């Protein structure tokens, strides 16, 4: 039987204060209760095992089914609005941590309001073309004087011209979220690292060239896969991805002799093809024994 793992972390006050005694209910995709538990003094639950499908399906680009099982989580606490997170992918052998930020009820509220977050499928399994466009050093309307790690990075939760809200996220947390939203966490280590380098560099290119701010927008990047890379606010983060990001979040791809972060465009390589990195292609190259750097050079030969 294939098993994945999920831990819940409840916080409040901009994620600064852990919440003890939050009632957590884990439900399967048919709405049946699988677990009920309370968070501890650190705001965390125990790690719970959840049935899923075999890992080998998430390593096969020709598999047409769903290589994971979805679960849902409801978080409730007295004096706070509740949170319901749906369609959480659980993968064989993978552990994920789900952040739950509870907002205190306002004095005028008669009852709690429920915030709903849908995680859904990773971008690698989605259909639709990416139309990522960008610029190298010297070709953008503006560039910063040096490459900096944004702290925080401001993400627009929609297409550039939409009226969606902005969120500010610590840069390592942003990268972890995007990697967890873009690809399968079960992929080989070299494949994960190559994809994470591309994600880091893509974001730093947007910041360095001031791609959106030079056009009058008040954000650094969007979460629209048509323009940028996938970010799902409030989603769980997989430990295999989190560990790698903690190691390399301040490393990026550049051309020899230039400081500018390379424009690392990418697509899934199956339903969508492009001149940049193929996400599924990195799995093939990793299985051939290629290093992350060699994988990147295969797609960005310049």
């Amino acid at each position: 039987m294939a098993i994945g793992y999920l831990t819940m972390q409840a916080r409040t006050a901009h994620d600064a204060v852990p919440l003890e005694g939050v009632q957590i209910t884990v439900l399967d995709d048919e709405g049946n209760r699988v677990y009920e538990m309370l968070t501890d003094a650190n705001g965390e639950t125990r790690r719970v095992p959840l049935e899923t499908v075999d890992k080998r399906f998430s390593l096969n680009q020709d598999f047409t089914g769903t290589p994971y099982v979805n679960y849902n989580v409801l978080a409730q606490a007295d004096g706070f609005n509740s949170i319901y997170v749906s369609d959480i992918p659980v993968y064989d052998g993978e552990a994920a941590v789900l952040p739950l930020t509870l907002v205190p009820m306002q004095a005028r509220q008669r009852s709690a309001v429920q915030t709903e977050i849908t995680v859904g499928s990773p971008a690698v399994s989605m259909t639709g073309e990416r139309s990522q466009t960008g610029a190298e050093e010297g070709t953008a309307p503006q560039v910063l004087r040096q490459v900096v790690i944004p702290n925080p990075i401001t993400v627009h939760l929609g297409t550039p011209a939409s009226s969606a809200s902005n969120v500010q996220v610590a840069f390592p947390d942003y990268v972890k979220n995007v990697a967890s939203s873009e690809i399968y966490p079960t992929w080989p280590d070299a494949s994960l690292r190559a994809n994470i380098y591309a994600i880091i560099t893509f974001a730093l290119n947007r910041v360095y060239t001031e791609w959106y701010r030079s056009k009058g927008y008040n954000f650094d990047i969007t979460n629209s896969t048509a323009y940028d890379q996938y970010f799902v606010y409030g989603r769980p983060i997989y430990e295999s991805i989190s560990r790698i990001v903690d190691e390399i979040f301040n490393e990026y791809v550049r051309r020899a002799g230039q400081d500018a972060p390379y424009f690392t465009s990418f697509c899934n390589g199956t339903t969508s093809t492009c001149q940049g990195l193929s996400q599924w292609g990195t799995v093939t190259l990793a299985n051939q024994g290629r290093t992350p750097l060699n994988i990147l050079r295969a797609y960005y030969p310049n």
Side-chain angles (χ1 to χ4, degrees), residues 3-20:
I3 298 293
Y5 303 89
L6 189 62
T7 302
M8 278 58 67
Q9 292 182 339
R11 300 284 189 273
T12 191
H14 302 289
D15 297 337
V17 180
L19 283 178
E20 183 178 6

Side-chain angles (χ1 to χ4, degrees), residues 153-157 165-169 174 219-223 231:
I153 187 170
T154 302
V155 186
H156 186 65
L157 302 180
S165 59
N166 294 343
V167 294
Q168 292 189 320
V169 188
Y174 167 79
F219 51 82
D220 300 306
I221 198 166
T222 77
N223 76 337
F231 174 93

Side-chain angles (χ1 to χ4, degrees), residues 262-267 272-278 298-301:
Y262 193 84
F263 182 65
T264 47
S265 60
F266 56 83
C267 53
S272 175
T273 57
C274 60
Q275 294 183 345
L277 178 142
S278 162
Y299 293 109
Y300 309 117

Side-chain angles (χ1 to χ4, degrees), residues 152-186:
I153 187 170
T154 302
V155 186
H156 186 65
L157 302 180
T159 58
S162 71
S163 59
S165 59
N166 294 343
V167 294
Q168 292 189 320
V169 188
F171 189 71
D173 293 338
Y174 167 79
V175 176
K176 293 176 183 180
N177 186 303
V178 171
S180 296
S181 302
E182 281 280 352
I183 56 179
Y184 295 133
T186 55

Side-chain angles (χ1 to χ4, degrees), residues 3 10 45 49 51 61 86 98 111 123 129 131 134 138 185 218 231 239 242 261 275 282 297-298:
I3 298 293
T45 67
E51 293 185 12
Q61 69 179 39
S86 62
L98 175 65
S111 59
E129 294 292 324
S131 56
N218 62 344
F231 174 93
E239 290 187 358
S242 180
Q275 294 183 345
T282 66
R297 284 176 172 162

